[in-house]
Amino acid sequence: MTTTQRLLDLAATAPTSPDEDLVLLLREASGLYQQGFEELRDTVTARYAGLSPEDVAAAATAAGMPCDASQNRDELLILLALTEWERTPAALAYAEMAEHAARRGISLIPEE
């Protein structure tokens, strides 16, 4: 099963899950979200491997991501990957799942 498939399954299960189970589902989904992003980040880094920092900045601007001269190539690659990742079905499913959990008062961020 792929990361996307598992995240979609978790997101589908979340709305009917009891709070205790939802915390576990959300924790697993968070790990998969991070894993999926890292995989895409590697892909994006490879895709732009031969480009100059200026060309990467131009690609970032073309993707609708504001950038400035103070950002280095690695920062731009991370932002490009994040921009692309946030549009994937996996990331969208995770965001929906986290929003649903938040409406129920559930979060992975500990309260102080």
Side-chain angles (χ1 to χ4, degrees):
M1 179 176 288
T2 67
T3 302
T4 298
Q5 289 169 325
R6 182 63 183 149
L7 273 167
L8 292 173
D9 287 348
L10 292 171
T13 303
T16 59
S17 297
D19 289 355
E20 301 81 25
D21 291 343
L22 183 54
V23 170
L24 297 174
L25 294 174
L26 194 57
R27 192 169 286 131
E28 180 182 351
S30 178
L32 291 168
Y33 179 95
Q34 296 303 319
Q35 177 185 336
F37 173 69
E38 289 299 324
E39 290 168 359
L40 183 63
R41 189 177 77 159
D42 291 344
T43 300
V44 168
T45 299
R47 184 183 314 148
Y48 294 99
L51 297 181
S52 70
E54 294 78 18
D55 289 338
V56 174
T61 301
M65 185 186 68
C67 58
D68 60 58
S70 69
Q71 293 172 302
N72 67 38
R73 188 176 193 285
D74 290 337
E75 290 171 331
L76 292 171
L77 289 171
I78 289 169
L79 291 172
L80 271 168
L82 186 59
T83 300
E84 187 173 331
W85 173 246
E86 288 178 340
R87 296 176 185 157
T88 65
L92 293 170
Y94 176 75
E96 182 179 316
M97 184 180 179
E99 289 170 9
H100 171 77
R103 285 190 297 274
R104 288 174 51 183
I106 297 170
S107 174
L108 294 179
I109 301 170
E111 292 184 28
E112 295 193 33

